[in-house]
Amino acid sequence: MGFGGVSGGQRRGHVLLLAGDAAVRRGGVLVAPGVNVAALAMVPADALLGCGVPADMVCLEGVRDPNTVLARLRVAVGAEGPLFVYVSGRLTADRRGRGHGRGRGLFVALAGTTAASVRYTSLPWEWLLGELRSRTAGETTVVVDLVADKAAWPLVEETGTLPGLAGLTGVEAFGVVGGPGAPGAVGGVSAYTRQWIDQLRRAPVRPSNVELHVLAAGSAGLAPGTLVVPSARELETRSVPVPVPVPVLGPGPAPAPVPVPVFVPAPESVAFAGTTRVVEAADAVTGAVAVVGTEDPRARLHALAVGGRHTEADALARAWERWVVERSGHASAEAVQCGEIRADLARMAGDFASATRLWTAAGQARLASQGPDAAEVQDAAAGALYCWTQLKDRAGALELGPALVGLLRALPSLDPDRLRLAERRLETLRTPAGAPHGSRVVRS
């Protein structure tokens, strides 16, 4: 959660980003911690912390001495303000069984750590836990993106979690741990970390840490068997407070952050005194109400879609989009983003026609406002093309093809192979069934 009650006058936040040793298998990089930290360091510290207090950021990469890491960790933990700790790299264990904690202890391998030098050249996991135990409740976030090697994976797999994290009072801990057989990251930013970064950059209102974790884990395409902390089942046991709704104001400057609708399960009796309660058509499907509030509903949308409740997810997304359009207009960045979210929900539901149409419309809208070289325009075009290639209905594909090809042609920096693929398919679709291969339909 963010720390909205922290005063920026006296206290400072602290961000500590630790890049341990890379995890490599047969020459392929499973996790590149230095790349992860470099990418995360480009995110403003206040976005990572979830508050606006002044903050310091320290990046540790290439460190070989665990005592150096411990000293930096103690400085960060000793700071009075909010703390964000990120750890990426290879998780290992003492093969000789004389580590810290229960049995063979876990370690975060540092630069130069080998199987024989684990106890002397890597950071004991218990050291990290021990320092975090002294933190003030509600002001600490820990995010890990790790790959366990063959020595550590049996310990992680046996417990189904990272030891000690759940027992840290007042610490929000999130992350993923891949196994030694995980697919390589090809030297780039890990998918889970990339999703955290993307959500922080693109969300009109900063999601809570829980929502960031759910969105990142759900969108990263994690390999089967990857340990997710906390898991979806663990999150289900947590009580999520209903946010206080905010009334919809008349014309005038929009407040910051811009409020967005929240979908809340309808309890037996709820009173929203002094607020505007917006009941949408989605109620008939979900038994829920759309409330104008300050929480981003995308985590709920994703949870519904992953759970196979696609009709409910679509109804909620449409209600959210209508609210945004009424407040900000069809051409607003928020409305375009709602369309993109609906496009991805349609893809997850297997409705590739709707997904293609929505992605194409989003690409056209972003092209008009951002230009052809913007990453968001390229992403929308790529999403539209993918969904269009999955569309088996010939008539539907033929209907949607021209607009998509027109969008692709307007992007000179796009991979030319994508445009050629779309043009060839559209030409094939226009060829009447039974016509000789390569023949074309001449249109007057």
Side-chain angles (χ1 to χ4, degrees):
M1 299 293 291
F3 311 113
V6 178
S7 170
Q10 298 179 345
R11 304 197 302 167
R12 296 183 66 85
H14 199 97
V15 175
L16 178 62
L17 309 178
L18 171 61
D21 191 29
V24 180
R25 185 186 75 245
R26 298 176 182 175
V29 179
L30 304 183
V31 62
V35 177
N36 285 350
V37 163
L40 205 59
M42 299 300 292
V43 179
D46 59 349
L48 295 175
L49 292 168
C51 61
V53 299
D56 303 308
M57 179 181 291
V58 174
C59 302
L60 296 179
E61 181 183 2
V63 178
R64 293 175 175 269
D65 181 7
N67 289 294
T68 300
V69 179
L70 180 62
R72 287 292 187 179
L73 182 61
R74 284 178 174 168
V75 170
V77 168
E80 294 185 358
L83 172 65
F84 181 93
V85 177
Y86 173 83
V87 181
S88 181
R90 175 168 62 96
L91 195 65
T92 189
D94 180 12
R95 295 177 184 272
R96 293 175 294 179
R98 295 196 300 271
H100 295 251
R102 297 180 180 178
R104 298 179 303 166
L106 292 172
F107 296 77
V108 177
L110 301 178
T113 295
T114 65
S117 66
V118 168
R119 296 178 63 213
Y120 312 104
T121 62
S122 56
L123 178 72
W125 185 251
E126 181 56 34
W127 285 12
L128 176 65
L129 298 177
E131 296 301 321
L132 291 172
R133 289 190 186 104
S134 65
R135 286 291 298 174
T136 303
E139 292 195 326
T140 307
T141 303
V142 178
V143 177
V144 300
D145 196 334
L146 302 164
V147 170
D149 62 18
K150 292 182 179 180
W153 183 244
L155 303 180
V156 174
E157 192 175 32
E158 179 182 357
T159 60
T161 187
L162 278 172
L165 279 184
L168 294 175
T169 303
V171 175
E172 286 192 307
F174 309 96
V176 293
V177 183
V186 198
V189 180
S190 300
Y192 177 77
T193 296
R194 168 56 62 192
Q195 288 298 322
W196 264 78
I197 295 171
D198 287 349
Q199 296 299 331
L200 284 171
R201 284 178 172 170
R202 296 183 180 182
V205 178
R206 186 195 188 277
S208 69
N209 289 330
V210 171
E211 289 173 321
L212 283 169
H213 169 67
V214 170
L215 290 164
S219 304
L222 300 174
T226 300
L227 175 66
V228 179
V229 180
S231 65
R233 179 171 298 179
E234 290 172 323
L235 285 175
E236 287 176 0
T237 65
R238 296 186 180 184
S239 58
V240 180
V242 176
V244 177
V246 177
V248 180
L249 305 177
V258 178
V260 295
V262 177
F263 231 45
V264 187
E268 294 78 3
S269 175
V270 178
F272 298 108
T275 66
T276 301
R277 188 176 188 223
V278 183
V279 181
E280 300 285 358
D283 295 358
V285 178
T286 63
V289 296
V291 180
V292 179
T294 55
E295 183 182 335
D296 192 320
R298 285 176 294 179
R300 287 185 173 87
L301 287 169
H302 187 269
L304 287 170
V306 169
R309 298 163 65 180
H310 300 294
T311 302
E312 297 174 52
D314 180 65
L316 169 54
R318 287 174 182 272
W320 183 30
E321 184 178 44
R322 282 194 295 272
W323 185 89
V324 171
V325 169
E326 289 174 2
R327 183 173 183 83
S328 304
H330 283 282
S332 66
E334 294 84 359
V336 173
Q337 190 173 67
C338 286
E340 292 172 334
I341 292 169
R342 285 186 55 210
D344 207 42
L345 290 172
R347 175 193 63 80
M348 296 175 71
D351 184 359
F352 293 110
S354 295
T356 301
R357 183 179 295 105
L358 288 164
W359 274 124
T360 302
Q364 292 168 336
R366 287 194 179 276
L367 175 63
S369 62
Q370 296 178 255
D373 295 325
E376 292 84 357
V377 179
Q378 306 275 337
D379 291 345
L385 177 58
Y386 168 79
C387 293
W388 186 61
T389 60
Q390 303 304 304
L391 186 56
K392 306 304 181 186
D393 174 50
R394 182 187 183 93
L398 184 56
E399 176 189 355
L400 298 170
L404 171 60
V405 170
L407 173 62
L408 298 177
R409 286 174 177 167
L411 307 179
S413 59
L414 187 75
D415 183 353
D417 289 339
R418 293 181 175 179
L419 175 58
R420 285 193 289 268
L421 169 66
E423 290 176 330
R424 284 197 300 268
R425 187 178 191 220
L426 183 58
E427 181 179 349
T428 301
L429 290 169
R430 285 173 170 168
T431 302
H437 179 69
S439 63
R440 302 181 64 178
V441 176
V442 179
R443 300 182 182 273
S444 57

